[in-house]
Amino acid sequence: MTTVALGLVKEVAEAARAPRFLYLHWPFGHALGEPGHVAQQRTVLHDMLTMATRAPRPGLVVELPYRWRRHAYTAVRDWKAPSPAVSAALSSLTGHGVTGEAQRKSA
């Protein structure tokens, strides 16, 4: 099982040395999003699942692009499809797309 941590302070995320870490610049107490904002909360959960299955190596800290109350969220329709935000972040870190197959081979 792959562990993905979610944090709100980038320095803590880096110091914690979790196997895989997603970072959001959001207010304390709201790691998954605003109360009652289901699309936002499900997007973050989808991001975490994608990070767990697609991150090419342990030790990665990925900053998600969402800004508190300034981002439009659509409903997650396909939970098996990778999160666009995490896929883009991983691509920028590795220089190319990361697939589930590549993840399995590197594990």
Side-chain angles (χ1 to χ4, degrees):
M1 177 191 264
T2 301
T3 301
V4 177
L6 182 63
L8 302 175
V9 178
K10 191 169 191 172
E11 293 79 13
V12 172
E14 292 168 347
R17 303 183 66 96
R20 286 148 184 88
F21 212 114
L22 292 176
Y23 159 71
L24 287 159
H25 187 69
W26 286 359
F28 289 113
H30 298 283
L32 288 177
E34 299 173 59
H37 197 320
V38 175
Q40 182 185 51
Q41 295 162 1
R42 288 183 178 162
T43 297
V44 174
L45 288 173
H46 187 225
D47 292 343
M48 292 180 76
L49 292 171
T50 297
M51 185 72 167
T53 59
R54 303 274 175 141
R57 60 182 163 74
L60 292 177
V61 177
V62 170
E63 181 173 354
L64 294 174
Y66 316 123
R67 295 296 167 239
W68 189 250
R69 297 190 177 172
R70 293 180 298 207
H71 191 89
Y73 299 88
T74 58
V76 176
R77 303 231 184 269
D78 183 0
W79 286 87
K80 292 182 181 180
S83 153
V86 173
S87 294
L90 291 175
S91 290
S92 70
L93 290 173
T94 62
H96 56 80
V98 177
T99 66
E101 187 63 28
Q103 159 63 24
R104 285 188 290 281
K105 286 181 181 176
S106 68

